[in-house]
Amino acid sequence: YILLFICVGVIPVVLLRVFSPDLYQDYKYFSELSTRTILALVSISLWNVLDEELLFRSILWKILNDWKFSNNKIILIQAVLFGIVHFRFISNNTFGFPELIFGIWVGFLALRSKSLTPSITTHFVHNITSRLF
């Protein structure tokens, strides 16, 4: 699972850097929203979301469930880890709290629906709107 997580997360970024460094720079700094920039933003955001949702709401959930944790504890643990991974000490002073709340919300969506589709959709829409605005 860890190898799959690394491949899903790293391969698109490496391919984007190798085959289209200009497009990668557009994504990285996007001073204008060209069609290429929007395509890069959407594709990288989608890979990022799939990567994180598979790790936190699928792989980690299964491991914790196998260890006999309750669903409420699993939601809290995966949300705390999600907040820690998204911790930005220098750029803001929220200390991962909004990400913790978001992790609880998408964990709840995954639990209630018994599917990753609602959490993936919510996470993707959140990432796209937060990057655009």
Side-chain angles (χ1 to χ4, degrees):
Y1 289 123
I2 293 172
L3 183 60
L4 175 67
F5 170 70
I6 291 169
C7 289
V8 168
V10 171
I11 288 173
V13 175
V14 170
L15 290 176
L16 190 61
R17 284 185 180 183
V18 169
F19 292 113
S20 185
D22 293 337
L23 185 60
Y24 180 77
Q25 292 302 323
D26 283 349
Y27 170 74
K28 189 173 179 185
Y29 301 111
F30 63 99
S31 60
E32 62 182 35
L33 286 177
S34 67
T35 305
R36 290 175 15 163
T37 303
I38 291 171
L39 179 63
L41 180 65
V42 168
S43 61
I44 291 173
S45 291
L46 182 60
W47 277 104
N48 183 344
V49 165
L50 290 173
D51 197 30
E52 289 180 354
E53 290 300 318
L54 285 173
L55 175 66
F56 290 105
R57 259 65 75 187
S58 182
I59 296 170
L60 181 62
W61 197 294
K62 183 176 179 353
I63 290 169
L64 294 175
N65 194 37
D66 289 346
W67 290 349
K68 307 295 185 220
F69 281 85
S70 70
N71 286 333
N72 291 336
K73 287 181 183 176
I74 293 173
I75 288 175
L76 187 59
I77 291 168
Q78 59 86 27
V80 167
L81 292 174
F82 186 76
I84 290 170
V85 166
H86 290 86
F87 178 77
R88 292 179 204 97
F89 183 72
I90 295 174
S91 66
N92 66 22
N93 294 323
T94 61
F95 302 108
F97 185 72
E99 291 81 3
L100 170 73
I101 300 302
F102 186 76
I104 291 171
W105 173 244
V106 291
F108 174 76
L109 290 175
L111 174 66
R112 291 289 291 182
S113 67
K114 296 185 181 359
S115 169
L116 289 180
T117 304
S119 62
I120 288 171
T121 304
T122 302
H123 196 162
F124 179 73
V125 169
H126 168 75
N127 282 6
I128 289 293
T129 55
S130 67
R131 288 187 174 111
L132 291 177
F133 305 108

